Amino acid sequence: MSNLLGVSGRAMLESLIAGERDPHVLADLAKGSMRRKTDALVEALTGNFTAHHAFLARAMLDRIASCTATETKLSEHLEVMLRPFRRRIDLLVTIPGVEARAAQVILAEIGADIARFPSAADLASWAGVCPGNHQSGDRSGSGKTRHGDPWLKAALGQAAVSASRTKDTCLAARYRRLVARRGKKRALVALQHSILVGVWHMLTHDTQYADLGGQYFIERTGRARQTRRMVSQLNQLGYQVTLQTEGAA
């Protein structure tokens, strides 16, 4: 059972707490696709579940219910507080990977007045989503990002992961382009930077996100350059590549 607190899981837990111990009766409470797993459920529900376990399970479920109710109240309160900023929230959720809660956190952390950041680079530097530039004379030091705003970076991190999984978007294409040579962590930081740069431009100009498409980097770098890069990657993997144009004999 992937979700213990789903409809089937809750029904079984409530029945156990109420005193039912027959694994077949409990397994029969399964709903939907879970009914195909009856034999496995019977095996899982066979055991020693005492009144003490029932007491603990009841306490845990009550605590979860209380937290859920509190979360609902907070969400309702947030909706009221965010009404003056609804336009900005609606703009931010047009960015691939940015959901409503992430948009709320982004706006809460950077503030409603985007003009306090003279440029997108200033915002990215303040947030800590661009590499550091530590140089002394001719020597360059670590390129690690600064600490920045942890809440904003967490929201951008979640958005970057979601964006990397989208289809036919510029952000996903940028991630695939970078992850092979820079690694997953740096590729995600680059996506966070791209998202935040987009946020600055969108809030500054009051406009929706304009996606450049999954083929943007191929079109920008040119077909010949892209071909050389891909052939080089295949050669590094030990393949000998012979290119032939479509339709050639």
Side-chain angles (χ1 to χ4, degrees), residues 23-234:
H24 292 86
V25 174
L26 293 168
D28 196 48
L29 296 173
K31 306 293 183 182
S33 61
M34 287 299 299
R35 297 194 66 84
R36 296 197 297 267
K37 304 177 181 179
T38 301
D39 293 340
L41 287 171
V42 169
E43 183 179 356
L45 290 164
T46 301
N48 183 29
F49 192 90
T50 66
H52 175 65
H53 297 132
F55 173 82
L56 293 177
R58 177 78 278 156
M60 292 177 184
L61 288 177
D62 289 346
R63 184 175 182 182
I64 291 171
S66 176
C67 291
T68 301
T70 300
E71 183 181 8
T72 300
K73 290 180 180 179
L74 286 172
S75 296
E76 292 172 352
H77 180 66
L78 279 173
E79 285 298 321
V80 174
M81 298 295 291
L82 287 169
R83 283 174 185 170
F85 312 103
R86 176 50 54 190
R87 168 65 179 173
R88 294 180 178 89
I89 297 293
D90 290 342
L91 290 178
L92 295 182
V93 296
T94 62
I95 303 174
V98 177
E99 298 181 351
R101 184 55 55 87
Q104 293 170 2
V105 174
I106 291 171
L107 186 61
E109 295 304 312
I110 67 177
D113 184 16
I114 195 66
R116 70 191 184 100
F117 299 104
S119 68
D122 289 302
L123 175 58
S125 177
W126 172 82
V129 292
C130 58
N133 184 19
H134 310 295
Q135 186 167 345
S136 177
D138 296 331
R139 300 183 63 183
S140 296
S142 170
K144 292 182 179 179
T145 57
R146 63 189 296 272
H147 292 297
D149 185 313
W151 304 106
L152 177 57
K153 290 178 75 172
L156 289 173
Q158 294 175 357
V161 171
S162 298
S164 70
R165 298 170 179 169
T166 55
K167 295 182 178 180
D168 196 28
T169 66
C170 184
L171 290 173
R174 177 168 171 75
Y175 175 79
R176 291 192 299 270
R177 176 185 171 88
L178 293 175
V179 71
R181 55 190 175 89
R182 302 290 287 174
K184 181 177 180 180
K185 186 175 181 179
R186 290 187 176 183
L188 288 175
V189 171
L191 252 62
Q192 293 178 48
H193 180 270
S194 295
I195 290 172
L196 200 55
V197 168
V199 167
W200 186 88
H201 285 284
M202 292 164 63
L203 296 183
T204 299
H205 303 290
D206 190 35
T207 184
Q208 292 187 358
Y209 179 80
D211 193 271
L212 298 173
Q215 299 298 312
Y216 170 72
F217 291 105
I218 295 178
E219 295 170 358
R220 190 185 72 169
T221 58
R223 184 171 180 175
R225 182 176 175 183
Q226 182 74 3
T227 300
R228 289 195 300 271
R229 184 177 66 83
M230 297 177 71
V231 169
S232 176
Q233 290 179 347
L234 289 171

